[in-house]
Structure formats: C-alpha cells, structure tokens
Amino acid sequence: MSDLWKPSVTVAAIIEHDGRFLLVEEETRDGIRFNQPAGHLDPGESLIHAVSREALEETAFEFTPEALVGVYLSRYVSSRSTEEVTYLRFAFSGKLGEHLDRPLDEGILRTVWMTPTEVLACREKHRSPLVLQCMDDYLGGKRSPLSLLYTHPSVAGQSYA
C-alpha cells in the first residue's frame, strides 16, 4: 500500500427554493444524519457532472450547477471505529430541475426541505460540519463562476493529441 496521502474528493449541491434548503436524511455508520445531496467524484467524470449525478441519485431531482459556492477541506474521524478520512468538497449552487420518478440511492431515507433555522437546529445530526458552512457561504452570497474549473479530456479517457 502506498504511503501517499490522498484526500477523498466529494461534491455537494446547495439547493435553495423559497427560503428552504433541500437535504437528504441518510443512514451512515454513525447513525441517521442530514446532508446536502453529495457524494464522491467517480473515475472519468468532471466535478460538474458529478454534482448533477449525485443530486439526481440522492433526491430524484435534476440539478444544473450554475456557480461554485466554495471548496472545503475537513477531516472525519468516526466515533464508532478507527476510520479517519480527509474530504475535499466542492459545493455548487444551481437550478433545480424536474423531479423524476426513480428510487433514491441506497441509504437515503428521504429528502427534506428545511429553513436555515431548522438546519441550524439539527446540527448535531449533520453528516459533516460542512453542511452548515456551505449553507452559510451560500446565504452570504459566495459564488464563483464554473469557468474556474477545467477538466482535461484525459480524465474521460481521451488521449493527448
């Protein structure tokens, strides 16, 4: 096994509609937790594609990212095991699309719309401290253009030409 340290790259969708935020309630190793629609970057995909895919899989809503809210680094240490992971999260805001008739990802119990006050009130049940930080940054108006992100064609398996 390599001694090279690698953070786990994740994406999150910060979805607000009429003053409420779309969260997922999910089963985790540490119990039932709330999170933004989020997940891991898969091999061969861009960050933009990853966040659209994760939002769809976890909420059954189409999501089109329009801005980068922020890039976050956090460390997770399990309260029930020796698991320790550092996450590099890219959080996006965007446009909520159509709700599709499809099952939610395994482990997702339900989607829930919460006001900022409700999100704050259940912070002890957040999957990550980044849930609140991402929402606060969004509410604070933090937005960067998606043009800051570039995915080289080699990521999708295309050769250098």
Side-chain angles (χ1 to χ4, degrees), residues 65-131:
E66 296 179 328
L68 178 67
V69 174
V71 179
Y72 306 85
L73 194 62
S74 75
R75 186 169 154 253
Y76 166 78
V77 179
S78 174
S79 61
R80 297 182 181 190
S81 70
T82 59
E83 181 184 17
E84 189 174 317
V85 180
T86 299
Y87 291 100
L88 179 61
R89 175 188 265 208
F90 293 80
F92 297 87
S93 62
K95 183 178 172 185
L96 186 64
E98 185 178 344
H99 187 266
L100 304 178
D101 183 21
R102 58 173 286 150
L104 302 180
D105 246 3
E106 184 177 332
I108 304 296
L109 303 174
R110 67 182 177 127
T111 60
V112 60
W113 289 95
M114 293 179 152
T115 65
T117 302
E118 292 167 332
V119 174
L120 180 61
C122 70
R123 69 177 166 242
E124 73 283 349
K125 290 194 158 251
H126 291 179
R127 181 151 190 188
S128 160
L130 298 180
V131 171

Side-chain angles (χ1 to χ4, degrees), residues 15-17 20-26 32-37 58-59 61 99 104 108-115 118-119 122 126:
I15 302 171
E16 184 264 337
H17 181 72
R20 294 182 175 270
F21 288 87
L22 182 59
L23 298 180
V24 296
E25 187 176 35
E26 59 186 330
I32 296 173
R33 298 287 185 253
F34 288 102
N35 197 9
Q36 279 105 5
E58 293 195 354
T59 70
F61 278 100
H99 187 266
L104 302 180
I108 304 296
L109 303 174
R110 67 182 177 127
T111 60
V112 60
W113 289 95
M114 293 179 152
T115 65
E118 292 167 332
V119 174
C122 70
H126 291 179

